Amino acid sequence: MSSPVQSTRNDPEGSHRGEGSLALAADAATGSGASHHPAAGSWAGFSVRDIVFLAVSGVLVLVFSALTSPLHALGIFGLPQMLVSPFFSFFLAIGVMKVRKPGSASIITLVSALLALLMRPASGLTALVTGLVAELVVMIVFRSYRRIASIVIVASLVPMLMVPVQILYYLLVLHVRLASVISFNAAVGGVLAATVILSILGALAGTKVARELISSGRMK
Amino acid sequence: MTAIAKGVSAAAPAAFGGAATGSHALHPVAALLVSIGSFAFFVACPDLRRVGVFMVALLILECLVGMGRALLLSGLFFLPAGIVMALTMSWVCGDPGSGWSMLLRLSALWLSETPLLVVPEMSFVRFLAQVHAPRVLGLCLLITLRFTHVIFHQIARVHAAWRTLERGGAHRVGVLRMAVPLMSRVLDVSDCLSNSLEMRCFTVDARQPSSVYRPVTPTMRDAVFVGAATAWMVGALMCPMPW
């Protein structure tokens, strides 16, 4: 019986066989990795389970954000951020509440921005920067995610910070005058206020659902 | 919602997974270069005639390198989305011209994103392994590309369950209540995936240098594709327009 390494060496196309599912899984079974217990392998304190759940939460954010995309064409400044804010904060709160490790919010943001990074690097980068900044702020203040307040704040900060990061991107990268991008009127003001409210409501709803899942034993 | 989920579930593996898993697939860097370059051209070029010329040229080039099927499949998404967004834009602005502009932008996005859609996700992961990127990145990328339609299907199922309540009953069950079964399903999906990964001894520990992935090597076809796209871009910028 040949080991995975031998079979791979004998058949250069062997890595294609498992590609229907996540063939990445076979990666660690080779070489010295075969004797390495999977539970011992972690990255920055995250286990495989943590990464998978955070990534799936990021996909949820991506799917719900995509559902709102036809309305982004309305052309009101801040509207795309307002539309995605409740979903972003909701799933972010649940993901962070389950894992509770520093960096969780950044991983969810990374996954939700990954496709955008491939297709439109600028928007992907702004989303990524937003996640990092929000997490940094919360880590400086709370140092961990043990308190519910820290989870609510990080989950509501990420979508809220998207607007200022977008403005900074216009100013610093594109060198566009602020007045040519935003005309402050009632509609824009309403949209920005709604972004804040929806972000907080989404984060609170996320923690509520996570608590229900924890109390029912579905989530540990 | 269910119809959309069925469409996404049917189209996604065909577009992302099975379309080009062989050795004839594009190199991820070549696809990324053409995609970003063409998108930058569409955004930066002020002359719509030149944009139009480059769009036609890129369409022909993409068909020539075997992306015809992928263009049709991705067009099934981009065309309806473009029409909806164009109609919304025209209605809001009261100007049909802005609608046409939106349709043009969506068409440009369609053409510039298709090279990335035909690259099999395994090539991205192989390339990431080749350049010694963190394994977490590869795992996240695979989950993003492979699980989007799975999650969409789960949402559609929960939505269908919501609709099977008695007449008017759906109004009494809040959206928040429906988030619990959705998250329960998502937890099941992620547990299943985690178990599968752990059973195969997958680890995110980057200290293990070994990999079953063969390196992704650029071919002459990739060089021709990037070269031709660049030449078309320069040509569309430099050549005098006859009209």
Side-chain angles (χ1 to χ4, degrees):
Chain A
M1 191 177 160
S2 61
S3 70
V5 181
Q6 285 165 340
S7 66
T8 307
R9 282 176 187 161
N10 293 338
D11 176 16
E13 296 297 316
S15 57
H16 283 292
R17 286 191 211 117
E19 286 180 2
S21 64
L22 288 169
L24 188 73
D27 200 8
T30 58
S32 60
S35 60
H36 194 79
H37 194 275
S42 64
W43 179 79
F46 290 96
S47 66
V48 174
R49 282 183 181 274
D50 296 336
I51 297 287
V52 167
F53 184 72
L54 292 173
V56 174
S57 302
V59 173
L60 270 168
V61 173
L62 192 69
V63 169
F64 276 96
S65 305
L67 287 175
T68 65
S69 56
L71 291 172
H72 294 188
L74 289 176
I76 300 173
F77 182 81
L79 188 70
Q81 286 81 5
M82 188 202 86
L83 291 169
V84 301
S85 61
F87 307 117
F88 226 114
S89 51
F90 181 80
F91 294 115
L92 207 65
I94 296 176
V96 174
M97 196 144 171
K98 184 176 189 301
V99 176
R100 295 206 181 199
K101 286 174 185 166
S104 313
S106 300
I107 291 177
I108 295 178
T109 321
L110 169 75
V111 173
S112 62
L114 216 49
L115 281 187
L117 267 175
L118 288 174
M119 295 179 176
R120 286 180 64 192
S123 53
L125 275 176
T126 52
L128 203 56
V129 168
T130 309
L132 287 170
V133 170
E135 186 127 43
L136 194 68
V137 168
V138 171
M139 279 301 119
I140 288 169
V141 177
F142 292 95
R143 306 216 176 253
S144 73
Y145 287 122
R146 269 178 299 195
R147 295 176 65 187
I148 294 290
S150 62
I151 297 170
V152 173
I153 289 175
V154 78
S156 45
L157 257 186
V158 173
M160 270 190 235
L161 283 177
M162 279 180 186
V163 178
V165 169
Q166 190 80 22
I167 293 173
L168 280 178
Y169 172 74
Y170 281 128
L171 292 177
L172 300 177
V173 181
L174 298 182
H175 301 289
V176 178
R177 281 176 60 240
L178 195 60
S180 63
V181 181
I182 317 167
S183 54
F184 281 104
N185 51 34
V188 173
V191 162
L192 293 180
T195 307
V196 173
I197 293 165
L198 287 174
S199 302
I200 295 169
L201 286 178
L204 290 172
T207 48
K208 184 174 159 52
V209 168
R211 276 176 167 171
E212 280 197 30
L213 288 166
I214 289 168
S215 64
S216 66
R218 281 295 292 121
M219 200 165 91
K220 293 178 183 69
Chain B
M1 177 68 90
T2 314
I4 296 172
K6 277 182 183 168
V8 171
S9 299
F16 296 129
T21 46
S23 56
H24 59 278
L26 270 180
H27 193 276
V29 174
L32 202 62
L33 280 176
V34 172
S35 180
I36 291 176
S38 57
F39 187 76
F41 180 90
F42 291 135
V43 170
C45 185
D47 191 347
L48 281 183
R49 293 176 303 167
R50 292 180 192 278
V51 169
V53 167
F54 181 58
M55 278 176 75
V56 173
L58 191 62
L59 181 66
I60 294 167
L61 181 64
E62 286 178 357
C63 288
L64 283 177
V65 292
M67 290 183 201
R69 184 167 167 260
L71 276 168
L72 278 175
L73 281 171
S74 54
L76 288 178
F77 166 74
F78 276 102
L79 191 67
I83 290 171
V84 169
M85 290 175 89
L87 287 175
T88 318
M89 195 77 176
S90 322
W91 174 62
V92 169
C93 300
D95 171 28
S98 52
W100 281 112
S101 156
M102 178 56 72
L103 200 58
L104 191 71
R105 279 164 61 187
L106 255 290
S107 310
L109 193 65
W110 167 54
L111 287 176
S112 61
E113 300 321 324
T114 305
L116 278 177
L117 292 179
V118 298
V119 177
E121 62 268 47
M122 287 309 300
S123 291
F124 279 110
V125 178
R126 283 175 180 155
F127 180 70
L128 287 173
Q130 202 176 338
V131 296
H132 303 292
R135 289 183 179 182
V136 171
L137 207 59
L139 180 62
C140 287
L141 187 67
L142 276 184
I143 291 175
T144 312
L145 293 175
R146 278 280 164 107
F147 277 75
T148 305
H149 69 282
V150 175
I151 295 296
F152 205 92
H153 201 71
Q154 299 299 325
I155 294 168
R157 285 178 139 193
V158 173
H159 183 247
W162 194 22
R163 288 178 64 198
T164 53
L165 294 168
E166 76 273 19
R167 196 174 179 84
H171 298 298
R172 290 198 296 273
V173 180
V175 176
L176 203 58
R177 289 275 163 212
M178 296 314 291
V180 176
L182 174 66
M183 285 316 296
S184 183
R185 279 181 173 276
V186 168
L187 282 165
D188 284 341
V189 167
S190 72
D191 279 349
C192 183
L193 180 58
S194 305
N195 288 339
S196 161
L197 288 169
E198 285 180 354
M199 285 291 284
R200 295 177 188 192
C201 303
F202 174 76
T203 174
V204 281
D205 190 354
R207 284 171 297 181
Q208 297 178 28
S210 56
S211 173
V212 295
Y213 295 125
R214 65 188 172 92
V216 193
T217 46
T219 58
M220 185 56 80
R221 183 167 158 264
D222 298 314
V224 169
F225 181 52
V226 176
T230 313
W232 278 126
M233 219 180 293
V234 174
L237 271 180
M238 299 293 178
C239 286
M241 291 286 122
W243 65 91

